[in-house]
Amino acid sequence: MKNKLFDNYKKKKITLETLPAVIHLESVRGCPFDCAMCNVGNTKSVDVSMSLLKKLEPYYHGLEVLSIHGLGEPLLSNHMDYFVENSHKHKFVIHMNTTGELLSKKKATLLAKAYGLSIRFSIHSGREETYKKIIGGSLKNVASKIKYLVDISKDKNHDLWFSYIVMKENIDEIEDFLKLANYCGIKSVRFMRLNPTLDIVKGVEKRDFNLKYFEQFNKEVIDKFITNVPRYNELASQLNIKIEYGTMNQFEKHGLNSVGDFINRGTNKIFKKRILPIIPEKGTCIVPWIGQLTVTIEGDVKVCVKSSYDIGNLYEKSLEEIWNSKKMKELRSAFHQGRFHKLCGYCKGLDINNFPNNAFVESRKDTNILL
């Protein structure tokens, strides 16, 4: 299966016989927490229906990764036993983004039993006071919960890591953050840019903290981060922690594009497409061949997690029909010609190293793909 997936990508086939290896499912919509940069906090949670899960179930056998987060907190899911059971049955990795606030010994014990587990914990601070401002919880408490999960997962090949959105409020805590990761037993961290949502551009006031985009994320913050990268690398090396610089590693080549990103978010929400840049850039992406389809709780299927571009609905069409629909073929054709589709906006594409686990490493070596 893996070799076929990569063969499709290498040859840039337009119609595929293989199905997507990565699916992002909105398992829960809504979240009781109130993180400063999130616009779905303080909302009632709704679980994905079992009827929709049954429509996806026939495609689990070919999956490498089933991501179960969306516009909500995945640890609220009432279907976690179901996901863990199918992870074992079909040998796929369960992936999620979470603050970890709802992690308990019972949930940690269940998750640790999964065939494969990949969790990105949203920490975004290195000190208790700042964590309280940004997330609204207790850094000490969440760290102890994560440490417990890491400890009971040591004999497994689970991928547990920390995420850090860089901003003025936390730029001076990165070394504390790395030490916290070490305390928890986390061996991989990723640094990300602050996203310019409409609310954040206007300013979000929570817990005596004003999260305003151009005050919290600007050239001064970026320059300070870049200047201190050698220090971060040195400390991470001492702690045996791998740093991935994610979207904090794009500025020299692509610039900030903050205004363009903001405009695209608006057009993406209203018209289901992005309008910038006017002339699509050259490049490629593995997603149209390997998959990163996003399935909402209504059954709507989107191209990927970064685009709200609809390509079908599972209550109306099968996944096979959607995967080889006219819209997907148009997307593959654009990349076949060496250019990004308009719907991609400023996204620079996804390569094999961006996937949330190492499921494809062996196949990449076997097929000699250099991305």
Side-chain angles (χ1 to χ4, degrees):
M1 173 65 74
K2 293 178 184 177
N3 286 336
K4 287 183 179 179
L5 288 168
F6 281 103
D7 185 60
N8 288 335
Y9 173 71
K10 287 174 66 178
K11 295 179 179 179
K12 297 295 188 295
K13 291 184 177 180
I14 307 302
T15 302
L16 306 184
E17 296 177 1
T18 55
L19 290 168
V22 180
I23 293 177
H24 287 258
L25 170 67
E26 187 179 29
S27 63
V28 175
R29 180 177 295 172
C31 179
F33 299 106
D34 197 22
C35 301
M37 68 285 293
C38 181
N39 60 2
V40 297
N42 284 328
T43 55
K44 183 180 179 181
S45 62
V46 180
D47 255 305
V48 65
S49 67
M50 185 53 71
S51 64
L52 183 60
L53 292 177
K54 290 299 182 183
K55 288 186 176 296
L56 275 178
E57 206 168 297
Y59 310 107
Y60 288 163
H61 69 278
L63 278 184
E64 296 289 343
V65 181
L66 178 65
S67 178
I68 58 170
H69 62 256
L71 297 177
E73 168 53 64
L75 290 178
L76 286 168
S77 174
N78 292 315
H79 300 303
M80 203 63 74
D81 288 281
Y82 168 88
F83 293 131
V84 172
E85 178 184 346
N86 278 281
S87 169
H88 270 287
K89 182 178 179 180
H90 300 287
K91 294 181 168 46
F92 61 70
V93 173
I94 298 173
H95 173 62
M96 70 179 80
N97 294 345
T98 176
T99 62
E101 289 283 346
L102 287 177
L103 197 61
S104 63
K105 286 190 175 181
K106 182 179 180 180
K107 288 181 180 178
T109 301
L110 174 62
L111 289 169
K113 294 177 181 177
Y115 171 80
L117 182 66
S118 171
I119 302 182
R120 177 170 63 182
F121 291 103
S122 300
I123 303 299
H124 314 319
S125 67
R127 301 170 192 167
E128 188 72 35
E129 183 180 349
T130 306
Y131 184 85
K132 179 70 174 179
K133 288 181 181 179
I134 296 175
I135 303 296
S138 167
L139 183 59
K140 180 180 179 181
N141 288 345
V142 78
S144 66
K145 295 175 183 179
I146 295 170
K147 187 177 187 302
Y148 176 79
L149 175 59
V150 172
D151 287 343
I152 65 174
S153 300
K154 282 185 176 177
D155 61 337
K156 300 178 181 292
N157 190 30
H158 292 339
D159 186 18
L160 310 175
W161 42 295
F162 279 1
S163 177
Y164 198 94
I165 295 177
V166 177
M167 61 185 91
K168 182 180 178 181
E169 194 70 22
N170 64 19
I171 187 80
D172 294 323
E173 302 179 14
I174 290 177
E175 287 166 296
D176 295 311
F177 165 74
L178 292 172
K179 293 174 184 176
L180 177 71
N182 181 60
Y183 163 77
C184 293
I186 296 293
K187 297 300 179 183
S188 182
V189 302
R190 178 177 290 183
F191 293 104
M192 308 296 289
R193 293 170 50 178
L194 179 64
N195 283 326
T197 64
L198 178 60
D199 288 340
I200 294 176
V201 169
K202 293 190 298 183
V204 176
E205 188 80 31
K206 293 182 180 180
R207 297 174 290 275
D208 296 323
F209 170 50
N210 186 20
L211 179 59
K212 200 166 186 178
Y213 183 76
F214 292 104
E215 290 179 3
Q216 287 292 330
F217 195 76
N218 49 47
K219 188 176 186 302
E220 181 181 349
V221 173
I222 295 165
D223 288 344
K224 188 172 186 178
F225 179 86
I226 293 173
T227 299
N228 289 325
V229 161
R231 286 172 48 191
Y232 307 149
N233 289 339
E234 182 179 0
L235 178 57
S237 178
Q238 294 172 4
L239 300 175
N240 193 29
I241 291 175
K242 177 186 176 183
I243 292 181
E244 295 180 13
Y245 285 100
T247 52
M248 284 301 295
N249 196 30
Q250 296 181 350
F251 303 111
E252 290 185 10
K253 183 177 180 182
H254 305 299
L256 279 174
N257 287 327
S258 296
V259 175
D261 280 340
F262 177 66
I263 293 172
N264 279 342
R265 285 174 183 274
T267 61
N268 202 26
K269 186 175 182 179
I270 298 171
F271 304 111
K272 307 301 181 184
K273 63 181 180 180
R274 297 165 179 173
I275 64 172
L276 296 175
I278 300 299
I279 302 176
E281 295 188 29
K282 295 180 179 179
T284 189
C285 177
I286 201 169
V287 165
W289 289 273
I290 302 299
Q292 200 189 66
L293 297 182
T294 298
V295 181
T296 71
I297 60 173
E298 293 88 4
D300 293 324
V301 182
K302 318 287 185 178
V303 167
C304 72
V305 295
K306 293 188 176 182
S307 175
S308 58
Y309 187 64
D310 287 310
I311 55 173
N313 185 287
L314 284 174
Y315 286 112
E316 299 171 359
K317 295 182 179 179
S318 69
L319 191 66
E320 294 103 323
E321 293 173 312
I322 294 172
W323 186 231
N324 278 309
S325 63
K326 180 180 178 181
K327 291 181 177 180
M328 282 304 300
K329 289 179 180 179
E330 288 176 353
L331 184 63
R332 294 186 190 113
S333 294
F335 283 115
H336 182 76
Q337 297 168 23
R339 60 178 174 80
F340 283 89
H341 194 281
K342 177 68 74 175
L343 68 90
C344 299
Y346 289 107
C347 179
K348 300 307 168 188
L350 194 66
D351 67 31
I352 196 60
N353 299 309
N354 294 125
F355 278 90
N357 77 108
N358 296 320
F360 297 103
V361 171
E362 183 178 346
S363 293
R364 181 181 58 177
K365 292 178 180 177
D366 292 342
T367 52
N368 296 314
I369 291 180
L370 298 177
L371 298 173

